[in-house]
Amino acid sequence: MKFLHTGDWHLGKTLHNTPLVEDQENLLKQVLDIFEEARKAGEPYDALMIPGDLYDRAIPSVAAVKMFDRFLDEMSGRFKETHVFILAGNHDGPDRLGFASSFLERSNIHICTQAEDIAKCTVVNGTAVYQIPFLMPGSFGDGLSKQGELFERAAKIIEEDHRKNHPDLPTVVCAHATVYGGADENFSVGTATSIDPKIFENFTYTALGHIHKFQQIGKSGKIFYSGSPIAYSFDDDAQKVFLSVEIGAGMEKPDSVEQIKVDTLHPVVRLRGKFQDFMEKAEFDKYKDFYMEIKSTDAVPIHNAKQLLKAKFPHLLSFVRESTLSMEQNEDFRERKRMLQEKKSTSELLRKFLEEIYTVEGAGGEKTLAENAKIDEKIRLFEKLVGDSLNRRSDK
């Protein structure tokens, strides 16, 4: 059996309120292209496995649903013998995702959204395939509530069915869970605490979803996260991949697990530096098509900085000023604290504040006031406005 493992598509998701429709359409096209290229090479795929978080919300947007509908229509039309396995992740709404699942089963589209579906097995080219959706406390109608207990129960259900009905076939399990043993050890994501990978040790291959970074769990070579095919945060700058998996006659582990790089339309990048450098230096030109977050190290705020930068970097999504020192370490902070303790006048405190924000650092590290500071003028205007306000109050 040969299949493509890719999950956590999060169709409908935005990044800093920016729709990612173009990026997600590009993702779906790449999946179709991979299947087409494999068929032309005489090595077609038997299945596509999507282990959860197909959508970003329990009630997905109309646009997201239509996007996936078009994809399924083309997939089933062009690759009629191919099986598509979809299970509910923690972001998916099980009832909505499971709509028409019995009908879609006839078209080789297998949707698993409930615990009672776990024992359903689909045999594809000599391999038994099972699915485990995201499990919540009470999923089995009893007192089980911990993730480890729930998935241990699910694994036993699959093992019993496999032993009874398909003992001589390799086993592939798709699951949406947090399994420790990869780059991150024992941890939790949202409501999902991590579970022991030993739960899956009796299966030939486990296709996991939930963690957005590609990783192999343990050293057995048979438990993998494909990771999300699109970066959905500026912390997620790893190379994105699909996993092409081949299962032979062996029961122990897959014959091969190969990474196929995703051709990312807009990679994400977080950069740090001065406004003027981003505007003038050619070294940053290569980020024109990236989704960008810039952390400014300028001591003085730049008026309308984000809009000015967007003229050069049209996909700049976030611009923030970075404090180079924590407040407690900052000399200016300590000085203001001392002035408050000494009960300095409001005008003196304002002067100190203005000196801080209008101080610029030269190439040699020297600090001077910006030309447009005009601190004395601002102090006089402030004192006049305060005085006028107090006079008006006394007149009343």
Side-chain angles (χ1 to χ4, degrees):
M1 177 188 180
K2 181 180 179 181
F3 61 89
L4 194 71
H5 169 193
T6 169
D8 295 279
W9 289 3
H10 288 273
L11 299 181
K13 188 173 178 63
T14 62
L15 181 61
H16 281 256
N17 297 317
T18 299
L20 300 177
V21 174
E22 186 181 15
D23 303 82
Q24 292 172 340
E25 290 280 13
N26 176 63
L27 150 69
L28 300 180
K29 181 180 181 301
Q30 284 185 66
V31 172
L32 291 167
D33 289 346
I34 289 170
F35 274 73
E36 183 62 41
E37 289 168 11
R39 181 168 64 182
K40 288 180 178 178
E43 300 176 345
Y45 282 93
D46 297 300
L48 170 65
M49 299 197 177
I50 308 171
D53 285 353
L54 172 66
Y55 295 115
D56 188 55
R57 297 179 181 180
I59 304 177
S61 67
V62 173
V65 174
K66 286 185 176 180
M67 186 191 307
F68 188 61
D69 178 63
R70 290 193 297 271
F71 169 78
L72 273 187
D73 181 56
E74 189 164 359
M75 190 81 188
S76 61
R78 291 169 59 181
F79 311 104
K80 296 184 185 299
E81 303 304 316
T82 300
H83 294 257
V84 179
F85 293 89
I86 305 165
L87 59 84
N90 59 304
H91 280 256
D92 298 308
D95 293 335
R96 287 178 172 80
L97 185 63
F99 173 75
S101 58
S102 298
F103 175 78
L104 292 171
E105 189 83 23
R106 303 172 193 170
S107 300
N108 291 336
I109 299 171
H110 316 282
I111 302 175
C112 176
T113 62
Q114 306 296 335
E116 54 261 33
D117 298 328
I118 291 172
K120 291 181 180 178
C121 175
T122 304
V123 176
V124 180
N125 198 4
T127 298
V129 181
Y130 297 86
Q131 300 192 85
I132 308 175
F134 183 72
L135 298 175
M136 298 289 288
S139 290
F140 293 104
D142 54 20
L144 293 182
S145 60
K146 294 181 179 179
Q147 287 281 292
E149 295 173 337
L150 291 164
F151 276 87
E152 190 173 351
R153 169 72 64 82
K156 286 181 178 178
I157 290 171
I158 293 172
E159 288 172 5
E160 288 173 6
D161 182 84
H162 182 259
R163 192 163 43 244
K164 179 181 178 181
N165 298 308
H166 312 287
D168 299 325
L169 299 182
T171 313
V172 170
V173 172
C174 297
H176 195 83
T178 306
V179 182
Y180 66 83
D184 303 299
E185 287 295 330
N186 201 352
F187 64 106
S188 63
V189 176
T191 60
T193 54
S194 56
I195 62 177
D196 193 327
K198 289 181 180 179
I199 290 173
F200 304 104
E201 66 182 0
N202 293 327
F203 307 131
T204 310
Y205 183 86
T206 301
L208 293 172
H210 196 39
I211 305 301
H212 286 197
K213 180 172 66 174
F214 158 75
Q215 54 189 294
Q216 175 179 321
I217 302 300
K219 298 179 181 179
S220 64
K222 61 182 190 177
I223 306 174
F224 286 86
Y225 283 102
S226 66
S228 64
I230 296 175
Y232 288 117
S233 78
F234 287 108
D235 295 316
D236 186 9
D237 59 357
Q239 172 64 53
K240 295 300 183 178
V241 299
F242 304 107
L243 295 182
S244 180
V245 183
E246 292 196 41
I247 307 291
M251 304 278 281
E252 185 62 28
K253 65 179 183 179
D255 286 0
S256 65
V257 180
E258 295 182 2
Q259 299 179 40
I260 300 175
K261 290 184 178 180
V262 177
D263 183 12
T264 305
L265 201 59
H266 300 104
V268 300
V269 65
R270 176 183 282 139
L271 301 174
R272 180 178 176 274
K274 295 185 179 298
F275 172 83
Q276 210 60 36
D277 291 341
F278 286 110
M279 292 297 291
E280 296 177 356
K281 291 187 177 181
E283 67 186 84
F284 296 112
D285 292 352
K286 61 185 178 182
Y287 298 112
K288 181 180 179 181
D289 292 325
F290 281 60
Y291 286 136
M292 296 177 66
E293 178 176 79
I294 290 178
K295 288 193 171 184
S296 168
T297 59
D298 292 284
V300 179
I302 307 296
H303 179 66
N304 210 23
K306 184 177 180 181
Q307 292 307 313
L308 292 171
L309 285 164
K310 280 180 75 72
K312 182 177 181 180
F313 306 106
H315 302 292
L316 173 64
L317 304 186
S318 173
F319 179 85
V320 293
R321 289 188 65 213
E322 182 183 73
S323 176
T324 55
L325 295 174
S326 71
M327 289 298 288
E328 289 298 334
Q329 294 173 309
N330 190 289
E331 183 180 340
D332 290 323
F333 172 80
R334 292 197 299 268
E335 175 65 15
R336 274 185 273 125
K337 187 175 181 180
R338 183 188 63 77
M339 292 175 72
L340 285 169
Q341 290 170 342
E342 295 177 0
K343 298 183 178 179
K344 296 291 185 180
S345 69
T346 305
S347 294
E348 289 175 300
L349 289 169
L350 177 62
R351 179 179 293 278
K352 177 62 180 171
F353 172 71
L354 292 172
E355 286 174 351
E356 287 178 32
I357 67 171
Y358 282 103
T359 295
V360 295
E361 187 175 321
E366 70 279 3
K367 293 183 178 182
T368 58
L369 285 176
E371 292 181 4
N372 65 338
K374 299 180 181 179
I375 289 178
D376 289 336
E377 182 180 326
K378 289 179 172 65
I379 294 290
R380 287 195 296 272
L381 177 60
F382 170 75
E383 290 175 341
K384 182 179 184 305
L385 291 171
V386 171
D388 290 346
S389 176
L390 291 174
N391 290 333
R392 284 195 295 272
R393 289 186 181 182
S394 62
D395 290 342
K396 292 181 180 178

